[in-house]
Amino acid sequence: MKKQFFEIEKDGFYGTYYENPKGSDCVVIGLFGDDPNDFMAKCGAKWLHKNGVDFAAFPVNPRPGV
């Protein structure tokens, strides 16, 4: 699974883009707790890829306590 990581310092936001290896012309954006690379995000990406969709995961709170 090809991933593209985004960082606050470099890109201005924190998240992960999971590109569908078969190609896609649409994407689903998922908002998760504090880590866009956790088990739930990876499982969601795999399921969406099976259905022909790209997936972008973004945390709701990327820096807890800030």
Side-chain angles (χ1 to χ4, degrees), residues 1-2 6-7 9-10 12 15 17-18 20 24 27 31 35 41-43 45 48 50-51 53-54 56 58 60:
M1 180 179 338
K2 184 178 177 184
F6 299 97
E7 299 176 8
E9 294 79 15
K10 183 178 143 193
Y17 179 73
Y18 296 88
N20 189 334
S24 176
V27 63
L31 302 175
D35 187 7
K42 290 177 184 176
C43 288
L48 287 165
K50 287 180 189 175
N51 290 285
V53 180
D54 289 341
F58 298 98
V60 176

Side-chain angles (χ1 to χ4, degrees), residues 5-66:
F5 299 100
F6 299 97
E7 299 176 8
I8 293 173
E9 294 79 15
K10 183 178 143 193
D11 303 302
F13 61 95
Y14 179 59
T16 305
Y17 179 73
Y18 296 88
E19 183 179 341
N20 189 334
K22 298 175 187 172
S24 176
D25 60 354
C26 58
V27 63
V28 170
I29 298 172
L31 302 175
F32 293 96
D34 61 353
D35 187 7
N37 302 305
D38 65 4
F39 183 73
M40 184 168 48
K42 290 177 184 176
C43 288
K46 288 179 185 178
W47 184 81
L48 287 165
H49 286 172
K50 287 180 189 175
N51 290 285
V53 180
D54 289 341
F55 180 60
F58 298 98
V60 176
N61 186 10
R63 292 184 176 177
V66 176

